[in-house]
Amino acid sequence: MSHSGPEHPEKSAQAQSLASGFAASARWHLYDFNTQAGEATLVRLEESSYRQTAFLDQRLLPLAHAQEQLALLALRDGLRDAPPAPSLAACIFHLGHCGSTLLSRALAASPRVLPLREPLTLRQLSAALHAAPAGQPPPAWPGLLDMVLTAHARVFQPGQRAMLKATSTCNNLIAPTLQARPHCPAILMYVRLEDYLAGMLGKLQAPADLHGLLHHRLADWQQLAGAPVLNADALDEPQLAALAWLTGMQHLDGAHQQFGDRTRLLDFEQFLAQPEHHLAELARFTGLEQESTTLLTAWPDIATSYSKKTDEPYSAFNRRKTLQRGRSLRAGDIRAGLAWASQQTAAVPALAVCEKYF
C-alpha cells in the first residue's frame, strides 16, 4: 500500500506502539508479509493457540483476537530496538506425513517450549527461493529470512524458547536457516522410501499435497545439478510420491552432511519403536535435559491422539494399519515407485545419496 504525503502523527505513533508490542512477545504473530506493498500482517494469539494449532497459516485465523497491518520497516525497527529474543530451541524439517507434528507436540509438552508449526512466512520464503534462478536468492532475501527467524524466536515468558516446525516443502530453507542461526539445532524427520510409499498410497484418499505441492517439488528437482526435465503431466501417483520423497530426502541428507552434529536425522518408524529413548535423546540435543521427565510423563496421552486433530484417537497401531493396507492394496504401485526412484538416483548424481534410505 502506498501513501502520499507525510504520515499522520497519530498513525505513526500507533505503528510504533504496535511494533514495540510485537517485538516484546509472541502475542502478536507474524502471519505473512508482502514485499511489494512493504507490509506485514500480524495476528494476536494466546499462547494456548500456538499449542493448539497444527498450522500457522489461514487455518489459524479463527483463533486470532485481532489482525493488523504494519510496515515492514517499522517491524524491522521494532525487532532491532528490542532486547534480543532467546535463541530458537530447534527447527524441525521433514518429508511430510512422517510424524513431525506428533514430535512437535511431544517436545512442546514442556512449558519451556513454544511451538510454531508450519508458519505461512516460511512457505513464502521457500517459494521465493524456489523461484530464484539456480536457487540463488535475491539481495533482499537474507534480510527477510533474518526478520522471520527473529520474529518467530519471540516467546511469552522468561526461560521459554521457540521451536519452529516448517512445512515439508520448505526443506530448501534448512541450509540458509542453519547458516543464519549458528546455535540452532535441527531435527530432520523422515521415513524410508518403502514406508513412505506404503503410507501415502495406503490412505483411503491420497493426500492432496501430492498434486497441490507438485510445483515446489519440481522447483527442487530443477535446481538439482544436472537433473533432467520431468514431464509433470506424465507422472502417476507412485511417481509423484517418490518425487516428493526424493527431493525432500536430498535436502535432509545434504544438511546432515553439511552441518553434522547440529542435526539429528530421525526415522519416524524407529522413533515409534522406542519413543522414550528418542525423546530423552532429543531433550538433550535441544537443551531440554531438565524437561525429560515432563516429556516422558506427557507422552502416553500425546501418543494416543491424532496430532493434527487432537480430539481424534490415534496410536502406533493405526500407523501400522495404514502401512499394511498400502502394502496389501498397492503392492504393485509401491514396487513401481521404488523402481522409478532407483532409475532417478542412477541418472541424477545429486540424488544418489538418497538410495541408502530406500
Side-chain angles (χ1 to χ4, degrees), residues 169-183:
T169 55
C170 294
N171 289 326
N172 61 338
L173 296 181
I174 304 175
T177 296
L178 296 186
Q179 288 165 349
R181 293 295 183 271
H183 300 293

Side-chain angles (χ1 to χ4, degrees), residues 139-159:
W141 190 89
L144 287 171
L145 174 66
D146 181 72
M147 178 194 74
V148 168
L149 294 177
T150 301
H152 292 332
R154 295 164 306 118
V155 291
F156 281 89
Q157 51 192 296

